[in-house]
Amino acid sequence: MKTRTLALVATGIAFSLALAGCSSSNGGSSSGKDATVVVGSLYEPTNLSNVDGGGQGVNEAFQDNVYEGLFRLGDDGKVTPQLATKVDTSSDGLTYTLTLRKGVRFHGGGTMTSADVKSSLERVTAADSQSSRKSSLSVIASIDTPDADTVVVHLSQRSISFVYNLSYVWIVPSSEKSLKTEENGTGPYELANRKRGSSLTLKPFAGYWGSKPENGGVEFDYFTSASTLSNALASGRVDVITSIQSPDALFRFTADESKYTVSEGKSTTKELLAFNDAKGPFTDVKLRQAISAAVDRKALLKAIWGDYGTVNGSMVPPTDPWYEDLTSVNAYDPAKAKSLLAEAGKADGFTFTLDTPTYDPHPAVAQYLQSALQKVGVTVQINSISADEWYTKVYQQHDFEATLQEHVNDRDVVFYGNPDFYFGYDDQDVQQDIAKAEEATTEDEQTALLKQANEQIVEDAASDWLYLYPQIVVSDKDVTGYWKNGLNSQFPVSGITVR
């Protein structure tokens, strides 16, 4: 039987990583439980740690495959117990008592205990942590481990999202100091081999506590372009593309429904024109509003995705409980854009640099923005940078004026409540609303506060939310059991079967 190859194109903050090479299929696997699933991806991990800047690629390959959390975020957005079997919350919402699953083994040997959970939480909240949920979990005041199977977490304030945020925390042994180049998880697969710039291979873990994988192993192969992945599926080398990257590529698959399965999931991936609100020209809200009003987002989406995707209007996707249609705020209006430029003292226009990741679709988006903004007298200088450079220059050092980036997470409007995040957006009312929302006692209260915060964020044009990606899965008819929505770059593979 031909080798089965699975192509994955995902997007997000844990940030996207462009790759230098493309590996080829390495031949011959059987079907059913003996099949080796080969995952093709544009996003090779920088390293193997999700608290050390490994990027979205490490979440893609390792989340729920190699590492697991106390709770699991499903493809339907629901959170269910995983390495914890029970959670009790105190009446004041400040103490969580977690009962751990017994008999969970680490790949490197040893059984999971409360000490491992405590140290894993502390890794995320450590001063040098680069986890996207570091600030969200900063409400942890102290952690007690009364016995090997119990963890008691004390919070400094209520956190209605606490259990949800725990789904981002990988449980690793307390003895591990660094996991950048190796792994030691509890998941259904363990790392078999890693070839930098080429591939990452996982094999089933014999000592796994849960159900065994439906396949014989997984290989993540790393490609340089979305077109390469699409061509691989069309030629039969690839069995599924979990997020197809262009409508032109999609047509060849919709034209043959007898051979391929095409489905559109619920996307949470936003394409952002992100301003540096803390320094440079975009500290002026009128300039941000002007840029937003100068961009025809519907036309941009059409140019990039054809009839797919959605003009979203904010950081909040429709799958979040606090979604509102805010597309009318700072809507396309070139005359208004010119008026706002004049009010900001830039009637003759101005020039700014757009740091643009080199992988698709950012270069095409940048060129569209350059053309659109030139029409209102604004000159865009495109500075192409690699994903690694983006992570250091933009995300870590905040050394930019504006940039393009895709944000994959759901419920991530809360990042605008943190002025130290790379956006640099600093509004005390928004910060208070987001903080109060987190301390809410009901979901209705949380929803109302986050709607209020988001309305202010959009009014201030803190960023320009260009569009919401489509989440289009295309697969060979023989391949089943994969996730279709791909929230937060996750791609669990243990349920994938090849008939």
Side-chain angles (χ1 to χ4, degrees):
M1 178 181 175
K2 68 181 180 181
T3 298
R4 297 292 177 176
T5 306
L6 180 82
L8 172 64
V9 181
T11 49
I13 204 169
F15 299 94
S16 305
L17 303 174
L19 308 170
C22 168
S23 71
S24 62
S25 178
N26 58 8
S29 69
S30 60
S31 61
K33 289 184 179 293
D34 294 327
T36 296
V37 179
V38 183
V39 178
S41 173
L42 296 179
Y43 307 114
E44 183 182 16
T46 303
N47 62 63
L48 303 183
S49 170
N50 73 339
V51 298
D52 293 300
Q56 81 175 66
V58 75
N59 286 337
E60 182 179 281
F62 277 12
Q63 180 78 44
D64 286 326
N65 295 325
V66 172
Y67 287 108
E68 298 172 306
L70 296 171
F71 298 88
R72 185 190 203 200
L73 179 66
D75 202 35
D76 59 0
K78 296 179 180 179
V79 176
T80 56
Q82 193 168 51
L83 298 183
T85 60
K86 181 182 178 183
V87 57
D88 293 312
T89 310
S90 62
S91 59
D92 62 4
L94 296 178
T95 302
Y96 286 75
T97 302
L98 303 159
T99 302
L100 304 182
R101 188 177 298 279
K102 296 180 182 294
V104 175
R105 291 178 54 194
F106 288 107
H107 301 159
T111 301
M112 180 189 72
T113 70
S114 57
D116 302 313
V117 173
K118 181 177 186 291
S119 67
S120 297
L121 289 168
E122 290 170 345
R123 285 174 188 266
V124 173
T125 59
D128 60 349
S129 168
Q130 297 175 29
S131 169
S132 64
R133 296 292 157 169
K134 178 180 177 179
S135 60
S136 300
L137 290 170
S138 64
V139 294
I140 296 176
S142 63
I143 305 171
D144 297 328
T145 54
D147 59 58
D149 301 319
T150 308
V151 178
V152 182
V153 183
H154 303 281
L155 307 184
S156 59
Q157 60 190 49
R158 295 182 65 97
S159 175
I160 196 171
S161 303
F162 181 65
V163 169
Y164 166 83
N165 288 326
L166 288 180
S167 68
Y168 288 81
V169 180
W170 292 351
I171 304 305
V172 303
S174 58
S175 59
E176 295 289 353
K177 302 303 180 185
S178 176
L179 289 166
K180 291 184 178 181
T181 59
E182 56 188 25
E183 62 86 7
N184 197 355
T186 64
Y189 299 92
E190 58 184 319
L191 180 63
N193 189 32
R194 182 190 183 201
K195 298 177 181 179
R196 292 297 302 269
S198 177
S199 64
L200 186 153
T201 307
L202 309 179
K203 64 181 180 180
F205 174 47
Y208 184 54
W209 62 268
S211 300
K212 304 301 181 186
E214 296 293 323
N215 51 65
V218 186
E219 179 178 310
F220 285 81
D221 280 2
Y222 296 109
F223 292 75
T224 57
S225 71
S227 62
T228 305
L229 294 178
S230 297
N231 290 337
L233 178 60
S235 68
R237 284 203 324 112
V238 168
D239 294 310
V240 62
I241 298 176
T242 64
S243 181
I244 200 150
Q245 291 299 288
S246 78
D248 292 338
L250 183 61
F251 176 75
R252 67 175 76 176
F253 307 124
T254 57
D256 192 352
E257 295 182 358
S258 65
K259 186 176 180 181
Y260 302 105
T261 300
V262 179
S263 61
E264 187 166 359
K266 297 177 181 178
S267 176
T268 60
T269 302
K270 290 80 60 178
E271 176 75 357
L272 264 67
L273 169 57
F275 306 115
N276 188 336
D277 300 344
K279 62 181 180 181
F282 295 115
T283 57
D284 190 330
V285 65
K286 290 188 182 297
L287 284 186
R288 303 198 302 263
Q289 292 170 335
I291 297 300
S292 297
V295 177
D296 186 343
R297 293 184 279 279
K298 289 183 179 179
L300 169 60
L301 178 62
K302 182 77 173 179
I304 301 298
W305 282 105
D307 295 330
Y308 295 93
T310 306
V311 174
N312 203 43
S314 82
M315 192 71 158
V316 181
T319 49
D320 284 358
W322 33 89
Y323 170 76
E324 291 181 282
D325 184 351
L326 299 176
T327 53
S328 63
V329 182
N330 298 319
Y332 177 55
D333 187 339
K336 182 179 178 181
K338 291 180 179 179
S339 176
L340 287 165
L341 287 170
E343 291 178 35
K346 303 290 185 180
D348 295 328
F350 71 106
T351 299
F352 73 90
T353 298
L354 181 64
D355 285 321
T356 303
T358 54
Y359 56 90
D360 295 335
H362 303 306
V365 173
Q367 290 173 10
Y368 181 94
L369 295 175
Q370 186 179 56
S371 176
L373 294 176
Q374 186 64 51
K375 295 175 182 178
V376 296
V378 176
T379 299
V380 178
Q381 295 180 336
I382 298 173
N383 178 41
S384 298
I385 57 177
S386 71
D388 287 346
E389 290 174 313
W390 187 95
Y391 189 82
T392 300
K393 184 177 187 292
V394 177
Y395 186 67
Q396 290 186 312
Q397 299 175 354
H398 303 183
D399 179 21
F400 74 105
E401 292 181 320
T403 190
L404 292 172
Q405 186 54 257
E406 72 272 31
H407 282 247
V408 69
N409 294 344
D410 58 348
R411 306 190 185 193
D412 55 2
V413 71
V414 297
F415 293 151
Y416 289 95
N418 176 12
D420 294 327
F421 198 66
Y422 83 92
F423 305 146
Y425 179 69
D426 189 356
D427 184 279
Q428 291 187 355
D429 290 338
V430 167
Q431 291 163 26
Q432 289 176 4
D433 284 342
I434 290 176
K436 288 178 181 177
E438 192 57 28
E439 295 182 57
T441 57
T442 67
E443 290 186 0
D444 286 346
E445 181 184 358
Q446 178 191 29
T447 295
L449 285 163
L450 288 178
K451 280 185 176 181
Q452 181 170 288
N454 192 42
E455 289 166 3
Q456 186 62 57
I457 293 165
V458 174
E459 179 65 31
D460 288 343
S463 301
D464 189 2
W465 305 272
L466 299 174
Y467 57 78
L468 190 69
Y469 282 58
Q471 176 63 27
I472 304 169
V473 178
V474 182
S475 72
D476 188 285
K477 289 288 188 182
D478 290 342
V479 180
T480 60
Y482 48 84
W483 285 18
K484 294 180 173 64
N485 294 326
L487 304 180
N488 303 333
S489 299
Q490 298 176 117
F491 194 66
V493 296
S494 64
I496 296 177
T497 59
V498 179
R499 294 193 298 268

